[in-house]
Short mmCIF file of all heavy atoms in Angstrom, two decimals:
data_model
loop_
_atom_site.label_atom_id
_atom_site.label_comp_id
_atom_site.label_asym_id
_atom_site.label_seq_id
_atom_site.Cartn_x
_atom_site.Cartn_y
_atom_site.Cartn_z
N LEU A 1 26.39 -97.71 63.65
CA LEU A 1 26.10 -97.17 64.95
C LEU A 1 24.63 -97.38 65.32
O LEU A 1 24.32 -97.87 66.40
CB LEU A 1 26.42 -95.66 64.93
CG LEU A 1 27.13 -95.19 66.20
CD1 LEU A 1 28.60 -95.34 66.01
CD2 LEU A 1 26.74 -93.78 66.45
N ILE A 2 23.74 -97.03 64.41
CA ILE A 2 22.33 -97.19 64.67
C ILE A 2 21.97 -98.67 64.81
O ILE A 2 21.19 -99.05 65.68
CB ILE A 2 21.48 -96.51 63.58
CG1 ILE A 2 21.67 -95.00 63.65
CG2 ILE A 2 20.02 -96.87 63.71
CD1 ILE A 2 21.05 -94.23 62.55
N LEU A 3 22.54 -99.50 63.95
CA LEU A 3 22.27 -100.95 64.05
C LEU A 3 22.75 -101.51 65.37
O LEU A 3 22.14 -102.41 65.92
CB LEU A 3 22.88 -101.69 62.88
CG LEU A 3 22.21 -101.49 61.52
CD1 LEU A 3 23.01 -102.18 60.42
CD2 LEU A 3 20.78 -101.95 61.52
N GLY A 4 23.85 -100.99 65.87
CA GLY A 4 24.32 -101.41 67.17
C GLY A 4 23.37 -101.08 68.30
O GLY A 4 23.11 -101.89 69.19
N GLU A 5 22.79 -99.91 68.21
CA GLU A 5 21.78 -99.50 69.20
C GLU A 5 20.54 -100.37 69.09
O GLU A 5 19.94 -100.76 70.10
CB GLU A 5 21.41 -98.04 69.02
CG GLU A 5 22.53 -97.10 69.43
CD GLU A 5 22.17 -95.64 69.24
OE1 GLU A 5 20.98 -95.30 69.35
OE2 GLU A 5 23.10 -94.86 68.99
N ILE A 6 20.14 -100.67 67.87
CA ILE A 6 18.95 -101.53 67.66
C ILE A 6 19.21 -102.92 68.22
O ILE A 6 18.38 -103.49 68.90
CB ILE A 6 18.59 -101.59 66.15
CG1 ILE A 6 18.05 -100.25 65.70
CG2 ILE A 6 17.58 -102.72 65.89
CD1 ILE A 6 17.92 -100.09 64.22
N SER A 7 20.40 -103.45 67.94
CA SER A 7 20.69 -104.79 68.43
C SER A 7 20.73 -104.83 69.95
O SER A 7 20.26 -105.81 70.56
CB SER A 7 22.01 -105.32 67.86
OG SER A 7 23.09 -104.57 68.31
N GLU A 8 21.20 -103.78 70.59
CA GLU A 8 21.18 -103.71 72.05
C GLU A 8 19.76 -103.63 72.58
O GLU A 8 19.37 -104.36 73.49
CB GLU A 8 22.01 -102.54 72.55
CG GLU A 8 23.49 -102.77 72.50
CD GLU A 8 24.27 -101.61 73.10
OE1 GLU A 8 23.79 -100.96 74.04
OE2 GLU A 8 25.37 -101.34 72.56
N LYS A 9 18.99 -102.68 72.01
CA LYS A 9 17.62 -102.46 72.49
C LYS A 9 16.73 -103.69 72.28
O LYS A 9 15.91 -104.01 73.13
CB LYS A 9 17.01 -101.27 71.78
CG LYS A 9 15.64 -100.90 72.28
CD LYS A 9 15.09 -99.68 71.61
CE LYS A 9 13.71 -99.36 72.18
NZ LYS A 9 13.09 -98.23 71.58
N GLU A 10 16.93 -104.37 71.18
CA GLU A 10 16.13 -105.56 70.87
C GLU A 10 16.74 -106.85 71.38
O GLU A 10 16.23 -107.93 71.11
CB GLU A 10 15.92 -105.63 69.34
CG GLU A 10 15.13 -104.48 68.74
CD GLU A 10 13.68 -104.49 69.15
OE1 GLU A 10 13.08 -105.59 69.26
OE2 GLU A 10 13.15 -103.40 69.39
N ASN A 11 17.87 -106.73 72.11
CA ASN A 11 18.55 -107.92 72.65
C ASN A 11 18.92 -108.92 71.56
O ASN A 11 18.74 -110.13 71.73
CB ASN A 11 17.73 -108.58 73.74
CG ASN A 11 17.55 -107.69 74.94
OD1 ASN A 11 18.48 -107.01 75.38
ND2 ASN A 11 16.34 -107.64 75.47
N ILE A 12 19.41 -108.42 70.45
CA ILE A 12 19.81 -109.27 69.33
C ILE A 12 21.26 -109.69 69.57
O ILE A 12 22.13 -108.87 69.80
CB ILE A 12 19.68 -108.53 68.00
CG1 ILE A 12 18.22 -108.12 67.77
CG2 ILE A 12 20.19 -109.39 66.85
CD1 ILE A 12 18.04 -107.18 66.61
N THR A 13 21.49 -110.98 69.51
CA THR A 13 22.82 -111.53 69.69
C THR A 13 23.07 -112.60 68.64
O THR A 13 22.14 -113.05 67.94
CB THR A 13 23.00 -112.16 71.10
OG1 THR A 13 22.04 -113.22 71.24
CG2 THR A 13 22.81 -111.12 72.19
N VAL A 14 24.32 -113.01 68.55
CA VAL A 14 24.71 -114.10 67.64
C VAL A 14 25.18 -115.26 68.53
O VAL A 14 26.13 -115.06 69.31
CB VAL A 14 25.80 -113.66 66.67
CG1 VAL A 14 26.28 -114.83 65.84
CG2 VAL A 14 25.32 -112.53 65.79
N THR A 15 24.56 -116.37 68.41
CA THR A 15 24.94 -117.53 69.22
C THR A 15 26.14 -118.24 68.58
O THR A 15 26.43 -118.06 67.39
CB THR A 15 23.77 -118.53 69.35
OG1 THR A 15 23.51 -119.06 68.04
CG2 THR A 15 22.54 -117.86 69.92
N GLU A 16 26.79 -119.05 69.37
CA GLU A 16 27.89 -119.86 68.85
C GLU A 16 27.42 -120.81 67.75
O GLU A 16 28.10 -121.03 66.77
CB GLU A 16 28.59 -120.65 69.97
CG GLU A 16 29.40 -119.79 70.91
CD GLU A 16 30.50 -119.03 70.20
OE1 GLU A 16 31.23 -119.63 69.38
OE2 GLU A 16 30.64 -117.83 70.48
N PHE A 17 26.21 -121.33 67.93
CA PHE A 17 25.62 -122.22 66.94
C PHE A 17 25.45 -121.50 65.61
O PHE A 17 25.78 -122.01 64.53
CB PHE A 17 24.29 -122.78 67.42
CG PHE A 17 23.62 -123.66 66.40
CD1 PHE A 17 24.06 -124.96 66.18
CD2 PHE A 17 22.56 -123.18 65.65
CE1 PHE A 17 23.46 -125.76 65.22
CE2 PHE A 17 21.95 -123.98 64.69
CZ PHE A 17 22.41 -125.27 64.48
N GLU A 18 24.94 -120.26 65.65
CA GLU A 18 24.76 -119.49 64.40
C GLU A 18 26.09 -119.19 63.73
O GLU A 18 26.21 -119.29 62.51
CB GLU A 18 24.06 -118.16 64.71
CG GLU A 18 22.60 -118.33 65.12
CD GLU A 18 21.98 -117.08 65.69
OE1 GLU A 18 22.67 -116.33 66.43
OE2 GLU A 18 20.79 -116.83 65.38
N LEU A 19 27.09 -118.87 64.55
CA LEU A 19 28.42 -118.60 64.00
C LEU A 19 29.02 -119.86 63.38
O LEU A 19 29.53 -119.84 62.24
CB LEU A 19 29.34 -118.05 65.09
CG LEU A 19 30.73 -117.62 64.66
CD1 LEU A 19 30.68 -116.53 63.62
CD2 LEU A 19 31.55 -117.18 65.87
N GLU A 20 28.93 -120.98 64.08
CA GLU A 20 29.47 -122.24 63.56
C GLU A 20 28.74 -122.65 62.28
O GLU A 20 29.37 -123.16 61.34
CB GLU A 20 29.31 -123.35 64.61
CG GLU A 20 30.27 -123.22 65.75
CD GLU A 20 30.03 -124.28 66.81
OE1 GLU A 20 29.49 -125.37 66.49
OE2 GLU A 20 30.39 -124.02 67.99
N THR A 21 27.44 -122.44 62.23
CA THR A 21 26.65 -122.76 61.05
C THR A 21 27.12 -121.95 59.85
O THR A 21 27.30 -122.49 58.76
CB THR A 21 25.15 -122.53 61.31
OG1 THR A 21 24.72 -123.36 62.40
CG2 THR A 21 24.33 -122.84 60.08
N ARG A 22 27.37 -120.67 60.06
CA ARG A 22 27.83 -119.81 58.97
C ARG A 22 29.25 -120.22 58.52
O ARG A 22 29.51 -120.27 57.35
CB ARG A 22 27.80 -118.35 59.40
CG ARG A 22 28.27 -117.35 58.36
CD ARG A 22 27.43 -117.33 57.08
NE ARG A 22 26.06 -117.03 57.33
CZ ARG A 22 25.53 -115.82 57.22
NH1 ARG A 22 26.26 -114.79 56.87
NH2 ARG A 22 24.25 -115.63 57.46
N VAL A 23 30.10 -120.52 59.47
CA VAL A 23 31.46 -120.95 59.12
C VAL A 23 31.40 -122.23 58.30
O VAL A 23 32.05 -122.36 57.26
CB VAL A 23 32.33 -121.14 60.39
CG1 VAL A 23 33.63 -121.87 60.05
CG2 VAL A 23 32.62 -119.80 61.03
N ASN A 24 30.57 -123.16 58.74
CA ASN A 24 30.45 -124.43 58.01
C ASN A 24 29.90 -124.22 56.60
O ASN A 24 30.33 -124.87 55.66
CB ASN A 24 29.61 -125.43 58.79
CG ASN A 24 30.32 -125.93 60.01
OD1 ASN A 24 31.54 -125.98 60.06
ND2 ASN A 24 29.58 -126.31 61.03
N LEU A 25 28.96 -123.31 56.47
CA LEU A 25 28.41 -122.99 55.17
C LEU A 25 29.48 -122.42 54.26
O LEU A 25 29.62 -122.80 53.10
CB LEU A 25 27.25 -121.99 55.30
CG LEU A 25 26.65 -121.48 54.00
CD1 LEU A 25 25.98 -122.59 53.24
CD2 LEU A 25 25.68 -120.35 54.29
N LEU A 26 30.27 -121.50 54.80
CA LEU A 26 31.33 -120.89 54.01
C LEU A 26 32.40 -121.90 53.64
O LEU A 26 32.97 -121.87 52.54
CB LEU A 26 31.96 -119.72 54.78
CG LEU A 26 31.08 -118.46 54.89
CD1 LEU A 26 31.70 -117.48 55.85
CD2 LEU A 26 30.84 -117.84 53.55
N LYS A 27 32.69 -122.83 54.54
CA LYS A 27 33.68 -123.86 54.24
C LYS A 27 33.25 -124.73 53.06
O LYS A 27 34.11 -125.20 52.32
CB LYS A 27 33.91 -124.74 55.47
CG LYS A 27 34.81 -124.11 56.50
CD LYS A 27 35.07 -125.06 57.66
CE LYS A 27 36.03 -124.48 58.66
NZ LYS A 27 36.33 -125.41 59.74
N THR A 28 31.98 -124.93 52.88
CA THR A 28 31.53 -125.73 51.73
C THR A 28 31.75 -125.01 50.42
O THR A 28 31.78 -125.62 49.37
CB THR A 28 30.02 -126.11 51.84
OG1 THR A 28 29.22 -124.91 51.79
CG2 THR A 28 29.75 -126.87 53.13
N GLN A 29 31.91 -123.67 50.48
CA GLN A 29 32.11 -122.89 49.26
C GLN A 29 33.58 -122.84 48.84
O GLN A 29 33.89 -122.41 47.74
CB GLN A 29 31.57 -121.48 49.47
CG GLN A 29 30.08 -121.46 49.72
CD GLN A 29 29.58 -120.07 50.04
OE1 GLN A 29 30.29 -119.08 49.94
NE2 GLN A 29 28.31 -120.00 50.42
N TYR A 30 34.49 -123.23 49.74
CA TYR A 30 35.92 -123.19 49.45
C TYR A 30 36.49 -124.59 49.53
O TYR A 30 36.39 -125.27 50.54
CB TYR A 30 36.64 -122.30 50.47
CG TYR A 30 36.17 -120.86 50.43
CD1 TYR A 30 35.32 -120.36 51.41
CD2 TYR A 30 36.62 -120.00 49.45
CE1 TYR A 30 34.91 -119.04 51.39
CE2 TYR A 30 36.21 -118.68 49.40
CZ TYR A 30 35.35 -118.20 50.38
OH TYR A 30 34.95 -116.89 50.35
N THR A 31 37.14 -125.01 48.45
CA THR A 31 37.74 -126.35 48.45
C THR A 31 39.19 -126.29 48.91
O THR A 31 39.76 -127.32 49.29
CB THR A 31 37.72 -126.93 47.01
OG1 THR A 31 38.34 -126.02 46.11
CG2 THR A 31 36.28 -127.20 46.57
N ASP A 32 39.78 -125.11 48.92
CA ASP A 32 41.15 -124.93 49.36
C ASP A 32 41.26 -125.01 50.88
O ASP A 32 40.60 -124.25 51.60
CB ASP A 32 41.67 -123.56 48.88
CG ASP A 32 43.11 -123.28 49.29
OD1 ASP A 32 43.89 -124.25 49.39
OD2 ASP A 32 43.43 -122.11 49.49
N ALA A 33 42.08 -125.94 51.37
CA ALA A 33 42.22 -126.14 52.81
C ALA A 33 42.74 -124.89 53.52
O ALA A 33 42.34 -124.59 54.65
CB ALA A 33 43.13 -127.33 53.10
N ASN A 34 43.61 -124.14 52.85
CA ASN A 34 44.16 -122.93 53.47
C ASN A 34 43.05 -121.90 53.67
O ASN A 34 42.99 -121.21 54.71
CB ASN A 34 45.26 -122.31 52.61
CG ASN A 34 46.52 -123.14 52.62
OD1 ASN A 34 46.82 -123.83 53.59
ND2 ASN A 34 47.26 -123.07 51.55
N MET A 35 42.18 -121.78 52.69
CA MET A 35 41.07 -120.82 52.82
C MET A 35 40.10 -121.27 53.91
O MET A 35 39.61 -120.45 54.68
CB MET A 35 40.34 -120.70 51.47
CG MET A 35 39.34 -119.61 51.43
SD MET A 35 40.12 -118.02 51.78
CE MET A 35 38.67 -117.04 52.05
N GLN A 36 39.85 -122.56 53.99
CA GLN A 36 38.98 -123.06 55.05
C GLN A 36 39.56 -122.75 56.42
O GLN A 36 38.84 -122.39 57.34
CB GLN A 36 38.76 -124.57 54.88
CG GLN A 36 37.88 -124.90 53.70
CD GLN A 36 37.59 -126.36 53.57
OE1 GLN A 36 38.20 -127.19 54.25
NE2 GLN A 36 36.69 -126.71 52.66
N SER A 37 40.89 -122.91 56.58
CA SER A 37 41.50 -122.63 57.87
C SER A 37 41.47 -121.14 58.21
O SER A 37 41.43 -120.77 59.37
CB SER A 37 42.91 -123.19 57.96
OG SER A 37 43.74 -122.52 57.06
N GLU A 38 41.49 -120.31 57.18
CA GLU A 38 41.40 -118.84 57.39
C GLU A 38 40.09 -118.49 58.11
O GLU A 38 40.05 -117.54 58.90
CB GLU A 38 41.46 -118.07 56.06
CG GLU A 38 42.83 -117.97 55.47
CD GLU A 38 43.73 -117.04 56.24
OE1 GLU A 38 43.30 -115.93 56.64
OE2 GLU A 38 44.90 -117.39 56.46
N LEU A 39 39.04 -119.20 57.80
CA LEU A 39 37.76 -118.94 58.42
C LEU A 39 37.77 -119.12 59.93
O LEU A 39 36.94 -118.54 60.62
CB LEU A 39 36.66 -119.84 57.78
CG LEU A 39 36.35 -119.54 56.32
CD1 LEU A 39 35.48 -120.64 55.75
CD2 LEU A 39 35.68 -118.18 56.17
N GLU A 40 38.68 -119.92 60.43
CA GLU A 40 38.75 -120.23 61.84
C GLU A 40 39.57 -119.23 62.64
O GLU A 40 39.61 -119.28 63.88
CB GLU A 40 39.32 -121.63 62.07
CG GLU A 40 38.46 -122.75 61.50
CD GLU A 40 37.15 -122.96 62.26
OE1 GLU A 40 37.02 -122.48 63.41
OE2 GLU A 40 36.25 -123.60 61.67
N LYS A 41 40.24 -118.33 61.98
CA LYS A 41 41.08 -117.34 62.69
C LYS A 41 40.18 -116.40 63.48
O LYS A 41 39.11 -116.02 63.04
CB LYS A 41 41.93 -116.55 61.69
CG LYS A 41 43.04 -117.36 61.10
CD LYS A 41 43.93 -116.49 60.25
CE LYS A 41 45.12 -117.31 59.73
NZ LYS A 41 46.01 -116.46 58.91
N PRO A 42 40.61 -116.03 64.68
CA PRO A 42 39.81 -115.21 65.58
C PRO A 42 39.30 -113.90 64.93
O PRO A 42 38.16 -113.53 65.11
CB PRO A 42 40.74 -114.89 66.75
CG PRO A 42 41.69 -116.05 66.77
CD PRO A 42 41.89 -116.43 65.34
N GLU A 43 40.16 -113.24 64.16
CA GLU A 43 39.74 -111.98 63.53
C GLU A 43 38.66 -112.21 62.48
O GLU A 43 37.76 -111.37 62.33
CB GLU A 43 40.93 -111.23 62.94
CG GLU A 43 41.69 -111.95 61.83
CD GLU A 43 42.84 -112.81 62.29
OE1 GLU A 43 42.90 -113.19 63.50
OE2 GLU A 43 43.65 -113.17 61.45
N ASN A 44 38.71 -113.34 61.80
CA ASN A 44 37.69 -113.62 60.81
C ASN A 44 36.39 -114.10 61.48
O ASN A 44 35.30 -113.77 60.98
CB ASN A 44 38.18 -114.68 59.81
CG ASN A 44 39.30 -114.12 58.97
OD1 ASN A 44 39.34 -112.93 58.66
ND2 ASN A 44 40.25 -114.98 58.60
N LEU A 45 36.51 -114.81 62.56
CA LEU A 45 35.29 -115.19 63.34
C LEU A 45 34.62 -113.97 63.89
O LEU A 45 33.37 -113.86 63.88
CB LEU A 45 35.66 -116.16 64.45
CG LEU A 45 36.09 -117.56 64.01
CD1 LEU A 45 36.59 -118.35 65.20
CD2 LEU A 45 34.97 -118.28 63.31
N SER A 46 35.42 -113.01 64.35
CA SER A 46 34.84 -111.76 64.86
C SER A 46 34.11 -111.00 63.77
O SER A 46 33.04 -110.46 63.98
CB SER A 46 35.97 -110.90 65.45
OG SER A 46 35.48 -109.69 65.91
N ASP A 47 34.72 -110.96 62.59
CA ASP A 47 34.09 -110.30 61.44
C ASP A 47 32.79 -110.97 61.06
O ASP A 47 31.78 -110.31 60.83
CB ASP A 47 35.07 -110.27 60.28
CG ASP A 47 34.50 -109.53 59.06
OD1 ASP A 47 34.10 -108.37 59.23
OD2 ASP A 47 34.45 -110.13 57.96
N LEU A 48 32.81 -112.31 61.04
CA LEU A 48 31.57 -113.04 60.71
C LEU A 48 30.50 -112.80 61.75
O LEU A 48 29.30 -112.64 61.42
CB LEU A 48 31.87 -114.53 60.60
CG LEU A 48 32.52 -115.01 59.31
CD1 LEU A 48 32.91 -116.48 59.43
CD2 LEU A 48 31.60 -114.82 58.14
N ARG A 49 30.89 -112.75 63.01
CA ARG A 49 29.92 -112.49 64.08
C ARG A 49 29.29 -111.10 63.88
O ARG A 49 28.07 -110.93 64.01
CB ARG A 49 30.59 -112.58 65.44
CG ARG A 49 29.62 -112.43 66.59
CD ARG A 49 30.36 -112.51 67.94
NE ARG A 49 30.96 -113.80 68.16
CZ ARG A 49 30.29 -114.87 68.61
NH1 ARG A 49 29.02 -114.78 68.87
NH2 ARG A 49 30.93 -116.02 68.82
N SER A 50 30.11 -110.12 63.54
CA SER A 50 29.61 -108.77 63.28
C SER A 50 28.63 -108.75 62.12
O SER A 50 27.60 -108.09 62.17
CB SER A 50 30.76 -107.81 63.03
OG SER A 50 31.55 -107.67 64.16
N ARG A 51 28.99 -109.47 61.07
CA ARG A 51 28.11 -109.50 59.89
C ARG A 51 26.79 -110.15 60.21
O ARG A 51 25.74 -109.68 59.74
CB ARG A 51 28.81 -110.25 58.75
CG ARG A 51 29.97 -109.48 58.15
CD ARG A 51 30.71 -110.32 57.14
NE ARG A 51 31.89 -109.65 56.68
CZ ARG A 51 32.08 -109.27 55.43
NH1 ARG A 51 31.16 -109.52 54.51
NH2 ARG A 51 33.21 -108.67 55.10
N LEU A 52 26.83 -111.22 60.99
CA LEU A 52 25.59 -111.87 61.38
C LEU A 52 24.75 -110.96 62.24
O LEU A 52 23.51 -110.94 62.10
CB LEU A 52 25.89 -113.17 62.13
CG LEU A 52 26.31 -114.35 61.27
CD1 LEU A 52 26.87 -115.47 62.14
CD2 LEU A 52 25.13 -114.87 60.47
N LEU A 53 25.36 -110.22 63.12
CA LEU A 53 24.61 -109.28 63.97
C LEU A 53 23.95 -108.22 63.10
O LEU A 53 22.79 -107.86 63.36
CB LEU A 53 25.55 -108.66 65.01
CG LEU A 53 24.87 -107.82 66.09
CD1 LEU A 53 23.90 -108.65 66.90
CD2 LEU A 53 25.94 -107.21 66.98
N ILE A 54 24.64 -107.73 62.12
CA ILE A 54 24.07 -106.73 61.21
C ILE A 54 22.88 -107.33 60.47
O ILE A 54 21.83 -106.71 60.37
CB ILE A 54 25.14 -106.21 60.24
CG1 ILE A 54 26.13 -105.31 60.98
CG2 ILE A 54 24.47 -105.45 59.07
CD1 ILE A 54 27.36 -104.94 60.19
N GLU A 55 23.06 -108.53 59.94
CA GLU A 55 21.98 -109.21 59.21
C GLU A 55 20.75 -109.36 60.11
O GLU A 55 19.61 -109.10 59.70
CB GLU A 55 22.41 -110.57 58.73
CG GLU A 55 23.37 -110.56 57.59
CD GLU A 55 23.87 -111.94 57.20
OE1 GLU A 55 23.21 -112.94 57.55
OE2 GLU A 55 24.90 -112.03 56.52
N LYS A 56 20.96 -109.83 61.32
CA LYS A 56 19.84 -110.04 62.23
C LYS A 56 19.16 -108.72 62.63
O LYS A 56 17.93 -108.66 62.75
CB LYS A 56 20.31 -110.81 63.50
CG LYS A 56 20.70 -112.25 63.20
CD LYS A 56 21.23 -112.93 64.41
CE LYS A 56 20.14 -113.28 65.37
NZ LYS A 56 20.59 -114.14 66.48
N SER A 57 19.95 -107.67 62.79
CA SER A 57 19.40 -106.37 63.14
C SER A 57 18.59 -105.82 61.96
O SER A 57 17.49 -105.24 62.18
CB SER A 57 20.52 -105.37 63.51
OG SER A 57 21.21 -105.81 64.64
N LEU A 58 19.08 -105.98 60.75
CA LEU A 58 18.34 -105.54 59.57
C LEU A 58 17.03 -106.32 59.43
O LEU A 58 16.00 -105.76 59.08
CB LEU A 58 19.18 -105.67 58.31
CG LEU A 58 20.30 -104.66 58.16
CD1 LEU A 58 21.19 -105.01 56.99
CD2 LEU A 58 19.76 -103.25 58.03
N ASP A 59 17.10 -107.63 59.69
CA ASP A 59 15.87 -108.45 59.63
C ASP A 59 14.84 -107.96 60.65
O ASP A 59 13.66 -107.89 60.36
CB ASP A 59 16.19 -109.93 59.89
CG ASP A 59 16.91 -110.59 58.75
OD1 ASP A 59 16.93 -110.04 57.62
OD2 ASP A 59 17.49 -111.68 58.95
N ARG A 60 15.32 -107.60 61.82
CA ARG A 60 14.42 -107.08 62.85
C ARG A 60 13.81 -105.76 62.44
O ARG A 60 12.62 -105.51 62.65
CB ARG A 60 15.17 -106.94 64.19
CG ARG A 60 14.32 -106.43 65.33
CD ARG A 60 13.21 -107.39 65.67
NE ARG A 60 12.45 -106.85 66.79
CZ ARG A 60 11.14 -106.97 66.91
NH1 ARG A 60 10.43 -107.63 66.01
NH2 ARG A 60 10.52 -106.44 67.93
N LEU A 61 14.61 -104.90 61.81
CA LEU A 61 14.11 -103.62 61.31
C LEU A 61 13.01 -103.82 60.29
O LEU A 61 11.96 -103.18 60.31
CB LEU A 61 15.21 -102.78 60.69
CG LEU A 61 15.97 -101.84 61.59
CD1 LEU A 61 17.06 -101.15 60.80
CD2 LEU A 61 15.04 -100.82 62.19
N LYS A 62 13.24 -104.76 59.38
CA LYS A 62 12.25 -105.09 58.34
C LYS A 62 10.96 -105.59 59.00
O LYS A 62 9.87 -105.23 58.61
CB LYS A 62 12.79 -106.15 57.37
CG LYS A 62 13.88 -105.65 56.48
CD LYS A 62 14.41 -106.77 55.65
CE LYS A 62 15.68 -106.41 54.96
NZ LYS A 62 16.28 -107.56 54.24
N GLU A 63 11.13 -106.43 59.99
CA GLU A 63 9.98 -106.98 60.70
C GLU A 63 9.18 -105.89 61.38
O GLU A 63 7.97 -105.82 61.31
CB GLU A 63 10.47 -107.99 61.74
CG GLU A 63 9.41 -108.65 62.54
CD GLU A 63 9.98 -109.59 63.59
OE1 GLU A 63 10.91 -110.36 63.26
OE2 GLU A 63 9.55 -109.52 64.75
N LEU A 64 9.86 -104.96 62.05
CA LEU A 64 9.18 -103.86 62.73
C LEU A 64 8.52 -102.92 61.74
O LEU A 64 7.45 -102.38 62.01
CB LEU A 64 10.18 -103.08 63.60
CG LEU A 64 10.70 -103.80 64.84
CD1 LEU A 64 11.83 -102.99 65.46
CD2 LEU A 64 9.61 -104.03 65.84
N ASN A 65 9.14 -102.74 60.61
CA ASN A 65 8.62 -101.87 59.56
C ASN A 65 7.37 -102.41 58.89
O ASN A 65 6.54 -101.66 58.38
CB ASN A 65 9.69 -101.54 58.53
CG ASN A 65 9.32 -100.41 57.62
OD1 ASN A 65 8.72 -99.42 58.07
ND2 ASN A 65 9.64 -100.54 56.37
N SER A 66 7.25 -103.73 58.85
CA SER A 66 6.12 -104.34 58.18
C SER A 66 4.85 -104.43 59.06
O SER A 66 3.80 -104.85 58.57
CB SER A 66 6.49 -105.72 57.70
OG SER A 66 6.71 -106.61 58.77
N LYS A 67 4.96 -104.04 60.29
CA LYS A 67 3.80 -104.10 61.19
C LYS A 67 2.92 -102.91 61.01
O LYS A 67 3.23 -101.86 60.63
CB LYS A 67 4.26 -104.17 62.65
CG LYS A 67 4.85 -105.50 62.98
CD LYS A 67 5.20 -105.57 64.45
CE LYS A 67 5.75 -106.96 64.78
NZ LYS A 67 6.07 -107.10 66.17
#
């Protein structure tokens, strides 16, 4: 909840490029074609987008805390 507010206030978003980059990175970790195709499912893309948003929000918090 708090991270959501931070991401809104700080205008933190996840771009399609960032999402595609993460998917491609994960695909290199899985040799199974079925697992690779799982990454492309809308619910998994949504989950990855959420995780990236959390990561970026935490990074921003660390940045603000170090000032």
Side-chain angles (χ1 to χ4, degrees):
L1 223 88
I2 292 173
L3 288 176
E5 290 180 29
I6 291 168
S7 65
E8 282 183 35
K9 184 176 180 182
E10 296 291 323
N11 295 318
I12 299 170
T13 60
V14 175
T15 66
E16 288 301 314
F17 177 77
E18 291 168 322
L19 183 60
E20 287 176 26
T21 301
R22 180 61 60 95
V23 168
N24 290 332
L25 175 66
L26 289 171
K27 282 183 175 181
T28 65
Q29 297 174 8
Y30 298 103
T31 55
D32 179 32
N34 290 331
M35 188 60 193
Q36 289 182 351
S37 66
E38 283 290 316
L39 292 169
E40 296 291 342
K41 289 186 175 180
E43 61 270 18
N44 293 328
L45 291 173
S46 178
D47 183 54
L48 281 172
R49 184 181 296 279
S50 294
R51 289 173 187 243
L52 283 168
L53 188 61
I54 289 170
E55 288 176 19
K56 291 176 75 172
S57 298
L58 287 172
D59 287 345
R60 180 64 178 142
L61 269 178
K62 290 176 193 174
E63 181 183 313
L64 290 171
N65 192 39
S66 67
K67 289 183 176 181

